[in-house]
Amino acid sequence: MSEAVSALNGASFAGLARVEETGLGGMITLRGDFTSAGFQAAVKAATGCAVPELRKITIADRGAVAWMSPDELLLLVDYAEAEAVTASLAEDLAGEHHMAVNVSDARACFTVSGAAAREVIAKVAPVDLAPGQFAPGDFRRTRFAQVAAAFWLDEADVFHIVCFRSVAAYMFNLLSTAAHPQAQVGVYS
Amino acid sequence: MLILQCPYCGVTAEETELHAGGEAHLKRFGPGSSDDDFHDYLFMRENPRGIHLERWRHVSGCGKWFHAARCTQTLEVFGTYSAQTTEPPQQIKDAISAKRPGWSWRDVSG
Ligand SMILES: [Zn+2]
Protein backbone atom coordinates (compact mmCIF):
# COMPACT_ATOMS: atom_id res chain seq x y z
CA MET A 1 0.00 0.00 0.00
CA SER A 2 1.21 3.50 -0.77
CA GLU A 3 2.37 5.79 2.00
CA ALA A 4 -0.41 8.24 2.84
CA VAL A 5 0.58 11.86 3.43
CA SER A 6 -1.49 14.85 4.44
CA ALA A 7 -2.17 17.68 2.00
CA LEU A 8 0.41 20.14 3.33
CA ASN A 9 2.90 17.86 5.10
CA GLY A 10 2.31 19.52 8.46
CA ALA A 11 2.83 23.12 7.37
CA SER A 12 2.72 25.68 10.17
CA PHE A 13 2.66 29.43 10.63
CA ALA A 14 3.30 31.53 13.74
CA GLY A 15 1.76 34.98 14.01
CA LEU A 16 -1.02 36.34 16.21
CA ALA A 17 -1.89 32.67 16.66
CA ARG A 18 -0.20 29.45 15.69
CA VAL A 19 -1.69 27.76 12.62
CA GLU A 20 -0.79 24.15 12.00
CA GLU A 21 -1.82 21.44 9.61
CA THR A 22 -2.07 18.47 11.94
CA GLY A 23 -1.52 15.64 9.49
CA LEU A 24 -3.69 12.68 8.69
CA GLY A 25 -6.83 12.20 10.74
CA GLY A 26 -9.21 9.26 10.60
CA MET A 27 -12.73 10.47 9.82
CA ILE A 28 -15.92 8.50 9.33
CA THR A 29 -19.23 9.96 8.25
CA LEU A 30 -22.01 8.10 10.01
CA ARG A 31 -25.69 8.67 9.30
CA GLY A 32 -28.58 7.00 11.05
CA ASP A 33 -31.17 7.34 13.79
CA PHE A 34 -29.56 8.92 16.89
CA THR A 35 -32.36 7.62 19.13
CA SER A 36 -31.77 3.98 18.22
CA ALA A 37 -30.08 1.96 20.99
CA GLY A 38 -28.19 -0.03 18.37
CA PHE A 39 -26.86 3.16 16.78
CA GLN A 40 -25.75 4.56 20.12
CA ALA A 41 -24.00 1.29 21.00
CA ALA A 42 -22.21 1.21 17.66
CA VAL A 43 -20.92 4.77 18.12
CA LYS A 44 -19.74 3.88 21.62
CA ALA A 45 -17.99 0.74 20.38
CA ALA A 46 -16.29 2.64 17.56
CA THR A 47 -15.00 5.61 19.52
CA GLY A 48 -15.64 5.18 23.24
CA CYS A 49 -17.94 8.23 23.04
CA ALA A 50 -21.62 8.81 23.56
CA VAL A 51 -23.70 10.42 20.79
CA PRO A 52 -23.15 14.16 21.31
CA GLU A 53 -25.83 16.72 22.05
CA LEU A 54 -26.87 19.28 19.44
CA ARG A 55 -23.78 21.11 18.04
CA LYS A 56 -21.40 19.44 20.51
CA ILE A 57 -18.42 17.14 20.28
CA THR A 58 -17.72 14.34 22.74
CA ILE A 59 -14.09 13.39 23.15
CA ALA A 60 -12.59 10.23 24.67
CA ASP A 61 -9.13 8.62 24.65
CA ARG A 62 -9.76 6.53 21.55
CA GLY A 63 -11.66 9.03 19.46
CA ALA A 64 -14.26 11.74 19.27
CA VAL A 65 -17.77 12.18 17.88
CA ALA A 66 -19.13 15.43 16.49
CA TRP A 67 -22.73 16.49 15.78
CA MET A 68 -23.00 17.33 12.06
CA SER A 69 -26.78 17.41 11.54
CA PRO A 70 -29.86 15.75 13.08
CA ASP A 71 -28.98 12.49 11.30
CA GLU A 72 -25.23 12.74 10.75
CA LEU A 73 -22.19 12.34 12.98
CA LEU A 74 -18.50 12.74 12.26
CA LEU A 75 -16.42 10.07 13.98
CA LEU A 76 -12.78 10.99 14.58
CA VAL A 77 -10.44 8.06 15.06
CA ASP A 78 -6.82 7.18 14.46
CA TYR A 79 -6.04 7.38 10.73
CA ALA A 80 -4.68 3.82 10.64
CA GLU A 81 -7.83 2.51 12.34
CA ALA A 82 -10.42 4.26 10.19
CA GLU A 83 -10.92 1.48 7.65
CA ALA A 84 -11.32 -1.21 10.33
CA VAL A 85 -13.66 0.96 12.43
CA THR A 86 -15.81 1.65 9.35
CA ALA A 87 -16.05 -2.08 8.70
CA SER A 88 -17.05 -2.89 12.27
CA LEU A 89 -19.67 -0.11 12.20
CA ALA A 90 -21.21 -1.74 9.15
CA GLU A 91 -21.26 -5.04 11.03
CA ASP A 92 -22.72 -3.55 14.22
CA LEU A 93 -25.42 -1.72 12.26
CA ALA A 94 -26.35 -4.52 9.87
CA GLY A 95 -30.11 -4.52 9.41
CA GLU A 96 -30.43 -0.95 10.64
CA HIS A 97 -30.91 1.95 8.21
CA HIS A 98 -27.54 3.72 8.21
CA MET A 99 -24.51 4.84 6.21
CA ALA A 100 -20.87 4.65 7.34
CA VAL A 101 -18.15 5.94 5.03
CA ASN A 102 -14.43 6.41 5.62
CA VAL A 103 -13.81 9.98 4.43
CA SER A 104 -10.31 10.39 5.95
CA ASP A 105 -8.55 10.95 2.63
CA ALA A 106 -11.08 13.58 1.57
CA ARG A 107 -10.22 15.87 4.46
CA ALA A 108 -7.56 18.15 5.90
CA CYS A 109 -7.15 19.05 9.57
CA PHE A 110 -5.78 22.22 11.17
CA THR A 111 -5.36 23.71 14.61
CA VAL A 112 -5.31 27.36 15.58
CA SER A 113 -3.96 28.07 19.04
CA GLY A 114 -2.68 30.94 21.13
CA ALA A 115 -4.08 34.09 22.68
CA ALA A 116 -5.58 35.50 19.46
CA ALA A 117 -7.03 32.21 18.20
CA ARG A 118 -10.64 33.37 18.72
CA GLU A 119 -9.99 36.53 16.77
CA VAL A 120 -8.34 34.66 13.90
CA ILE A 121 -11.36 32.37 13.50
CA ALA A 122 -13.82 35.23 13.95
CA LYS A 123 -12.24 37.09 11.03
CA VAL A 124 -13.11 34.35 8.56
CA ALA A 125 -16.30 32.66 9.87
CA PRO A 126 -19.80 34.13 10.50
CA VAL A 127 -19.89 32.74 14.03
CA ASP A 128 -20.04 34.50 17.40
CA LEU A 129 -16.71 33.60 19.01
CA ALA A 130 -17.01 35.65 22.18
CA PRO A 131 -15.68 33.51 25.06
CA GLY A 132 -19.14 32.95 26.59
CA GLN A 133 -20.70 32.13 23.23
CA PHE A 134 -18.30 29.49 21.96
CA ALA A 135 -16.89 27.21 24.63
CA PRO A 136 -14.81 24.01 24.81
CA GLY A 137 -16.91 21.10 23.52
CA ASP A 138 -18.88 23.30 21.11
CA PHE A 139 -18.86 22.18 17.49
CA ARG A 140 -19.92 24.22 14.49
CA ARG A 141 -20.26 23.66 10.76
CA THR A 142 -19.95 26.86 8.79
CA ARG A 143 -17.87 28.49 6.09
CA PHE A 144 -14.35 29.86 6.46
CA ALA A 145 -14.35 32.70 3.92
CA GLN A 146 -15.26 30.87 0.71
CA VAL A 147 -14.96 27.22 1.76
CA ALA A 148 -17.01 24.85 3.91
CA ALA A 149 -15.47 23.94 7.26
CA ALA A 150 -16.28 22.53 10.67
CA PHE A 151 -14.50 23.41 13.88
CA TRP A 152 -14.49 22.84 17.59
CA LEU A 153 -12.67 24.08 20.66
CA ASP A 154 -10.95 21.65 23.03
CA GLU A 155 -10.34 21.91 26.77
CA ALA A 156 -6.87 23.38 26.15
CA ASP A 157 -8.42 26.30 24.20
CA VAL A 158 -7.14 24.98 20.88
CA PHE A 159 -9.40 25.31 17.84
CA HIS A 160 -9.54 22.28 15.55
CA ILE A 161 -10.66 22.79 11.96
CA VAL A 162 -11.70 20.21 9.38
CA CYS A 163 -12.18 21.02 5.68
CA PHE A 164 -12.01 19.30 2.33
CA ARG A 165 -8.53 18.24 1.33
CA SER A 166 -8.92 19.96 -2.04
CA VAL A 167 -9.03 23.35 -0.29
CA ALA A 168 -6.29 22.68 2.28
CA ALA A 169 -3.88 25.21 0.75
CA TYR A 170 -6.63 27.84 0.62
CA MET A 171 -7.46 27.17 4.27
CA PHE A 172 -3.83 27.40 5.38
CA ASN A 173 -3.27 30.66 3.50
CA LEU A 174 -6.54 32.07 4.81
CA LEU A 175 -5.74 31.28 8.45
CA SER A 176 -2.15 32.48 8.08
CA THR A 177 -3.32 35.78 6.61
CA ALA A 178 -5.85 36.23 9.41
CA ALA A 179 -3.05 35.49 11.91
CA HIS A 180 -0.58 37.92 10.31
CA PRO A 181 1.40 39.68 13.09
CA GLN A 182 0.35 43.11 11.86
CA ALA A 183 -3.34 42.18 11.50
CA GLN A 184 -4.41 42.43 15.13
CA VAL A 185 -7.87 43.80 15.88
CA GLY A 186 -7.99 42.97 19.57
CA VAL A 187 -11.74 42.48 19.61
CA TYR A 188 -11.69 39.78 22.33
CA SER A 189 -8.69 40.99 24.34
CA MET B 1 -28.38 41.27 6.19
CA LEU B 2 -31.00 38.56 6.54
CA ILE B 3 -30.66 36.35 9.62
CA LEU B 4 -32.65 33.11 9.94
CA GLN B 5 -32.63 30.52 12.70
CA CYS B 6 -32.21 27.02 11.30
CA PRO B 7 -34.92 24.84 12.89
CA TYR B 8 -32.70 21.74 12.62
CA CYS B 9 -29.44 22.81 14.25
CA GLY B 10 -30.63 25.94 16.04
CA VAL B 11 -27.91 28.16 14.58
CA THR B 12 -28.83 31.79 14.05
CA ALA B 13 -27.36 31.88 10.58
CA GLU B 14 -26.69 34.96 8.55
CA GLU B 15 -27.43 35.05 4.87
CA THR B 16 -23.99 33.98 3.65
CA GLU B 17 -24.33 30.64 5.44
CA LEU B 18 -27.65 29.97 3.69
CA HIS B 19 -28.87 29.30 0.20
CA ALA B 20 -32.23 30.53 -1.08
CA GLY B 21 -34.46 27.81 -2.46
CA GLY B 22 -37.36 29.78 -3.91
CA GLU B 23 -41.03 29.67 -3.14
CA ALA B 24 -42.38 27.35 -0.44
CA HIS B 25 -45.15 24.76 -0.57
CA LEU B 26 -45.22 24.15 -4.32
CA LYS B 27 -47.35 21.20 -5.27
CA ARG B 28 -45.74 19.14 -7.98
CA PHE B 29 -47.70 18.35 -11.11
CA GLY B 30 -45.88 15.71 -13.12
CA PRO B 31 -46.71 13.04 -15.70
CA GLY B 32 -50.44 12.66 -16.23
CA SER B 33 -51.32 16.17 -15.10
CA SER B 34 -53.05 18.70 -17.30
CA ASP B 35 -50.98 21.11 -19.39
CA ASP B 36 -52.33 24.04 -17.38
CA ASP B 37 -51.39 22.50 -14.03
CA PHE B 38 -47.95 21.56 -15.29
CA HIS B 39 -47.42 25.06 -16.73
CA ASP B 40 -48.39 26.70 -13.45
CA TYR B 41 -46.20 24.32 -11.45
CA LEU B 42 -43.20 25.06 -13.66
CA PHE B 43 -43.51 28.77 -14.21
CA MET B 44 -45.99 30.57 -11.98
CA ARG B 45 -44.36 32.00 -8.84
CA GLU B 46 -45.41 34.51 -6.25
CA ASN B 47 -43.31 37.66 -6.19
CA PRO B 48 -44.86 39.65 -3.36
CA ARG B 49 -43.81 42.94 -1.85
CA GLY B 50 -44.56 41.88 1.70
CA ILE B 51 -45.18 38.52 3.32
CA HIS B 52 -43.55 35.61 1.59
CA LEU B 53 -43.07 31.92 2.41
CA GLU B 54 -39.80 30.52 1.13
CA ARG B 55 -37.51 27.52 1.18
CA TRP B 56 -33.97 27.98 2.46
CA ARG B 57 -31.09 25.60 2.91
CA HIS B 58 -28.52 25.79 5.71
CA VAL B 59 -25.91 25.01 3.09
CA SER B 60 -22.75 25.95 4.98
CA GLY B 61 -24.09 24.46 8.19
CA CYS B 62 -26.09 21.33 8.94
CA GLY B 63 -27.11 21.06 5.27
CA LYS B 64 -30.85 20.82 5.91
CA TRP B 65 -33.66 22.46 3.97
CA PHE B 66 -36.23 24.42 5.95
CA HIS B 67 -39.00 27.00 5.49
CA ALA B 68 -39.05 30.67 6.41
CA ALA B 69 -41.83 33.25 6.67
CA ARG B 70 -40.60 36.78 6.14
CA CYS B 71 -41.40 40.17 4.67
CA THR B 72 -39.61 40.97 1.42
CA GLN B 73 -40.12 44.68 1.93
CA THR B 74 -38.75 45.12 5.45
CA LEU B 75 -36.73 41.87 5.79
CA GLU B 76 -38.67 41.20 9.02
CA VAL B 77 -38.61 37.48 9.81
CA PHE B 78 -41.78 35.98 11.31
CA GLY B 79 -40.27 32.57 11.88
CA THR B 80 -38.70 29.45 10.41
CA TYR B 81 -40.17 25.97 10.38
CA SER B 82 -39.67 22.37 9.36
CA ALA B 83 -39.37 21.32 5.73
CA GLN B 84 -41.62 18.32 6.42
CA THR B 85 -44.88 20.18 5.98
CA THR B 86 -47.08 21.32 3.09
CA GLU B 87 -48.33 24.45 4.85
CA PRO B 88 -47.06 26.79 7.57
CA PRO B 89 -47.78 25.62 11.15
CA GLN B 90 -50.26 27.57 13.26
CA GLN B 91 -47.61 29.34 15.35
CA ILE B 92 -46.08 30.81 12.19
CA LYS B 93 -49.49 31.97 10.97
CA ASP B 94 -50.11 33.49 14.41
CA ALA B 95 -46.74 35.25 14.37
CA ILE B 96 -47.58 36.84 11.00
CA SER B 97 -51.12 37.74 12.10
CA ALA B 98 -49.76 39.50 15.19
CA LYS B 99 -47.80 41.88 12.96
CA ARG B 100 -49.89 41.97 9.77
CA PRO B 101 -53.57 41.31 10.57
CA GLY B 102 -55.59 40.20 7.57
CA TRP B 103 -52.60 38.89 5.62
CA SER B 104 -52.78 36.22 2.99
CA TRP B 105 -50.37 34.39 0.70
CA ARG B 106 -51.67 32.20 -2.12
CA ASP B 107 -54.49 30.27 -0.42
CA VAL B 108 -52.92 30.56 3.05
CA SER B 109 -54.17 33.17 5.53
CA GLY B 110 -54.05 33.87 9.24
ZN1 LIG C 1 -28.87 24.11 10.37
Side-chain angles (χ1 to χ4, degrees):
Chain A
M1 193 181 150
S2 55
E3 184 202 350
V5 292
S6 68
L8 305 178
N9 261 319
S12 67
F13 174 85
L16 296 175
R18 181 174 170 78
V19 178
E20 194 172 352
E21 196 229 9
T22 53
L24 295 164
M27 275 177 245
I28 300 162
T29 288
L30 179 64
R31 304 191 83 144
D33 177 4
F34 291 8
T35 62
S36 141
F39 184 87
Q40 293 169 0
V43 170
K44 186 89 182 172
T47 60
C49 296
V51 172
E53 298 291 312
L54 181 83
R55 297 204 318 272
K56 296 284 180 187
I57 182 167
T58 49
I59 302 171
D61 292 342
R62 266 195 299 134
V65 182
W67 192 97
M68 296 288 274
S69 89
D71 58 2
E72 181 179 339
L73 298 175
L74 182 67
L75 276 52
L76 300 147
V77 297
D78 195 58
Y79 179 82
E81 305 284 316
E83 204 54 53
V85 173
T86 309
S88 60
L89 277 167
E91 249 170 61
D92 291 351
L93 291 167
E96 194 164 328
H97 184 63
H98 80 285
M99 182 188 79
V101 181
N102 178 6
V103 295
S104 309
D105 293 327
R107 302 286 165 83
C109 313
F110 296 86
T111 55
V112 176
S113 55
R118 279 182 188 274
E119 176 171 309
V120 168
I121 309 280
K123 282 179 182 177
V124 297
V127 179
D128 188 350
L129 282 145
Q133 295 298 314
F134 200 90
D138 282 347
F139 182 88
R140 181 74 145 80
R141 282 173 83 181
T142 182
R143 63 179 179 88
F144 273 35
Q146 297 185 53
V147 298
F151 72 98
W152 68 96
L153 183 61
D154 71 16
E155 293 295 336
D157 271 344
V158 175
F159 285 95
H160 297 254
I161 298 144
V162 172
C163 67
F164 287 116
R165 182 179 173 118
S166 55
V167 294
Y170 176 93
M171 181 63 81
F172 182 75
N173 290 337
L174 177 72
L175 293 171
S176 301
T177 303
H180 189 282
Q182 290 178 317
Q184 184 150 27
V185 180
V187 67
Y188 296 130
S189 57
Chain B
M1 175 71 71
L2 185 63
I3 296 174
L4 299 174
Q5 187 177 38
C6 171
Y8 292 94
C9 70
V11 161
T12 306
E14 49 105 312
E15 206 171 330
T16 66
E17 210 174 272
L18 303 166
H19 182 76
E23 186 175 328
H25 308 309
L26 293 177
K27 184 182 175 193
R28 180 170 183 269
F29 289 91
S33 62
S34 73
D35 284 356
D36 281 351
D37 280 345
F38 186 59
H39 169 273
D40 287 357
Y41 161 66
L42 265 191
F43 299 115
M44 300 309 283
R45 294 292 181 270
E46 295 296 299
N47 185 23
R49 187 178 71 169
I51 290 153
H52 199 18
L53 306 181
E54 293 172 310
R55 301 172 77 224
W56 285 85
R57 185 177 175 226
H58 195 187
V59 65
S60 290
C62 70
K64 297 296 181 191
W65 284 97
F66 60 93
H67 284 126
R70 69 178 183 103
C71 176
T72 59
Q73 188 174 11
T74 63
L75 291 192
E76 179 175 8
V77 176
F78 302 107
T80 54
Y81 54 102
S82 164
Q84 278 74 40
T85 177
T86 53
E87 59 177 309
Q90 192 59 45
Q91 85 259 18
I92 295 292
K93 292 184 190 175
D94 291 347
I96 303 172
S97 296
K99 295 285 182 67
R100 312 284 167 86
W103 68 279
S104 69
W105 179 90
R106 284 204 183 245
D107 55 356
V108 182
S109 59

